[in-house]
């Protein structure tokens, strides 16, 4: 992939070793259009002929998250985490409860509200997360949500 040099520099800047596995995980994350599960990364690594264990994939992902090279996203009440390449862009998601598709929102609907909160409470807000849950048009066409 053409971004290998950038990933090498990112790893070096964070004091992380440049390993084939880390490079491959960063490349896998970078080419995704939405956050992915560790299991998907594990399967993709096997396609790269970089067979490894799931625990190693989780350790590598934790290292990348701790060094701000990847983001870890928890969706809904699930304990399952999803990961994405950290493009240093603030974003939120629409999440389909039917097919689990995630659509990135181009704007932050909380910016004005956050500013008002800071003004009213004198609280310094450093970050927020917002995911909006519902059903995409494709799942609605399949009859979701089902009425009780």
């Amino acid at each position: 992939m053409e971004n290998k040099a950038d990933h090498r520099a990112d790893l070096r800047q964070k004091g992380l070793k440049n390993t084939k596995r880390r490079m491959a995980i960063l490349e896998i994350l970078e080419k995704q259009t939405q956050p992915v599960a560790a299991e998907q990364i594990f399967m993709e690594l096997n396609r790269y002929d970089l067979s490894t264990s799931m625990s190693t994939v989780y350790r590598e992902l934790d290292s990348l998250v701790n060094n701000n090279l990847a983001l870890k996203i928890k969706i809904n009440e699930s304990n399952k985490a999803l990961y994405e390449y950290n493009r240093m862009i603030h974003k939120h998601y629409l999440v389909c409860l039917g097919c689990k598709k995630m659509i990135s929102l181009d704007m932050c609907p909380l910016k004005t509200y956050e500013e008002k909160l800071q003004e009213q409470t004198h609280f310094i807000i450093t970050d927020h997360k917002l995911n909006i849950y519902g059903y995409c048009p494709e799942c609605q066409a399949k009859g979701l949500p089902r009425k009780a």
Side-chain angles (χ1 to χ4, degrees):
M1 230 179 167
E2 62 195 49
N3 290 332
K4 279 187 179 180
D6 295 335
H7 293 316
R8 281 189 186 104
D10 290 341
L11 290 170
R12 188 173 35 253
Q13 182 181 16
K14 299 294 182 176
L16 297 173
K17 284 186 179 180
N18 173 10
T19 65
K20 287 182 183 180
R21 189 179 299 114
R22 278 194 186 129
M23 290 292 290
I25 290 172
L26 284 170
E27 289 175 27
I28 291 165
L29 289 173
E30 187 176 25
K31 73 180 180 181
Q32 302 305 312
T33 57
Q34 67 180 36
V36 294
E39 294 81 7
Q40 291 169 277
I41 295 166
F42 172 78
M43 290 186 296
E44 194 73 20
L45 285 172
N46 285 328
R47 283 189 218 129
Y48 279 38
D49 288 330
L50 292 172
S51 53
T52 188
S53 68
M54 274 305 298
S55 61
T56 300
V57 171
Y58 280 115
R59 273 194 309 278
E60 293 288 4
L61 286 168
D62 284 344
S63 175
L64 294 173
V65 168
N66 290 336
N67 284 282
N68 209 25
L69 295 173
L71 300 172
K72 182 177 184 176
I73 301 164
K74 292 248 182 168
I75 299 299
N76 216 352
E77 305 302 317
S78 165
N79 284 335
K80 188 165 193 129
L82 300 175
Y83 299 87
E84 70 178 328
Y85 182 71
N86 189 354
R87 291 178 171 81
M88 304 299 179
I89 299 170
H90 179 78
K91 59 183 163 178
H92 303 288
Y93 292 98
L94 291 173
V95 182
C96 180
L97 295 169
C99 65
K100 310 297 183 229
K101 176 176 26 183
M102 297 176 70
I103 300 168
S104 177
L105 300 175
D106 291 333
M107 49 79 84
C108 177
L110 297 178
K111 186 164 180 50
T112 304
Y113 181 63
E114 189 177 276
E115 290 168 357
K116 284 181 183 178
L117 275 177
Q118 285 189 135
E119 188 178 299
Q120 291 172 355
T121 64
H122 304 286
F123 193 89
I124 297 173
I125 299 172
T126 59
D127 195 18
H128 64 263
K129 306 277 187 235
L130 173 69
N131 295 318
I132 301 171
Y133 300 91
Y135 293 89
C136 69
E138 292 84 9
C139 286
Q140 290 174 54
K142 295 176 186 173
L144 292 175
R146 296 204 187 342
K147 295 182 179 160

